[in-house]
Amino acid sequence: MDPKIGKLAELTVEAFLIAWLGYLTIYQNYLLYRWHRGLPLPSRTAFVVIGLAMGLAFFWYEWDKFEKSNHSKPGRGSAEPGETRTDT
């Protein structure tokens, strides 16, 4: 399998988990702060959006880092900075 596809699948699962756990954490903290005071339950929509934003931000950051590391790797036959090529 292509390493790019494997990394995409790995990051997708990680981003989903971060989005889910972020949503749960933020919503739970809000409930612990507000709900025990007898107020009605809030809509979950805002917390779902925040969780998705967290997951997308993580995915974008990690994918960008992965892409930059792929582009910075030298190809075959090229020398690292500071090295000289000996093959002719």
Side-chain angles (χ1 to χ4, degrees), residues 32-79:
L32 288 172
Y33 181 71
R34 297 280 181 175
W35 188 38
H36 73 277
R37 293 190 170 109
L39 299 173
L41 285 176
S43 171
R44 293 183 180 177
T45 307
F47 302 101
V48 169
V49 169
I50 293 170
L52 287 175
M54 290 171 65
L56 288 173
F58 169 80
F59 181 83
W60 176 78
Y61 173 75
E62 289 292 327
W63 186 257
D64 191 48
K65 191 167 69 169
F66 175 70
E67 286 291 321
K68 285 180 182 176
S69 71
N70 276 351
H71 291 306
S72 66
K73 291 181 182 176
R76 285 185 61 161
S78 64

